[in-house]
Amino acid sequence: MDSHAAHSRASLHADIVALIPALKAFAQTFCRNRTDVDDLVQETLAKALANIDKFEPGTRLKSWMFTIMRNTFYTRAKTSHREGPSPVDGVADGLRQEATQDWSVQGQELLHAMNVLPAHYRDVLILVIVQGESYSHAADVCDCAIGTVKSRLNRARHLLLEELDHTM
């Protein structure tokens, strides 16, 4: 490996490390607890580094990493749904006491309403509204046109409001 390729590889690795805070923030939209967030970020980083040769220079590294994370999460969700929890998995769940504050209840209602949304609407809503990403970046991550992002976001907002009206 020549010195230029080694420098480019080191620079790419540094860029990946710099994205870890953004990856953690994006993972929080998928996972409820810190351990799951950290696991999802770690798995995303491992997959990205293992497939670094597939990254196309000149494209957005952040979009590539977010796509890996989203696909990893969906693969995990399909696998865990198929496998289902064992009786032992839920032992600690009954020991937890939920907060009684109104904001906690409203937050849970919002999370439930977002989870009811179809995945393609939820992804756009999370990217643009929660993460503050541009329509262009959301289009890159979701692999669709900017107009599609805008229409999905509009539809996601309407569906979210409808679902929240039903829960209140």
Side-chain angles (χ1 to χ4, degrees), residues 44-118:
T44 301
L45 290 169
K47 286 182 177 182
L49 292 172
N51 294 293
I52 200 75
D53 57 315
K54 294 181 177 126
F55 175 72
E56 297 177 24
T59 61
R60 288 189 54 152
L61 179 63
K62 188 175 182 181
S63 298
W64 186 67
M65 298 287 292
F66 277 18
T67 301
I68 292 171
M69 179 175 284
R70 186 185 70 220
N71 292 343
T72 299
F73 175 77
Y74 287 146
T75 300
R76 276 183 172 187
K78 286 178 188 174
T79 303
S80 68
H81 178 71
R82 210 173 28 240
E83 292 173 356
S86 71
V88 178
D89 289 340
V91 171
D93 291 340
L95 302 176
R96 209 174 12 164
Q97 184 174 3
E98 297 296 326
T100 58
Q101 296 86 357
D102 286 342
W103 60 266
S104 178
V105 172
Q106 291 171 349
Q108 291 300 318
E109 289 172 352
L110 179 60
L111 282 175
H112 172 73
M114 286 181 68
N115 286 330
V116 171
L117 292 175

Side-chain angles (χ1 to χ4, degrees), residues 112-122 125 155-157 159-160:
H112 172 73
M114 286 181 68
N115 286 330
V116 171
L117 292 175
H120 58 283
Y121 292 146
R122 184 176 53 247
L125 186 74
R155 186 70 179 137
R157 286 176 174 155
L159 290 171
L160 191 62

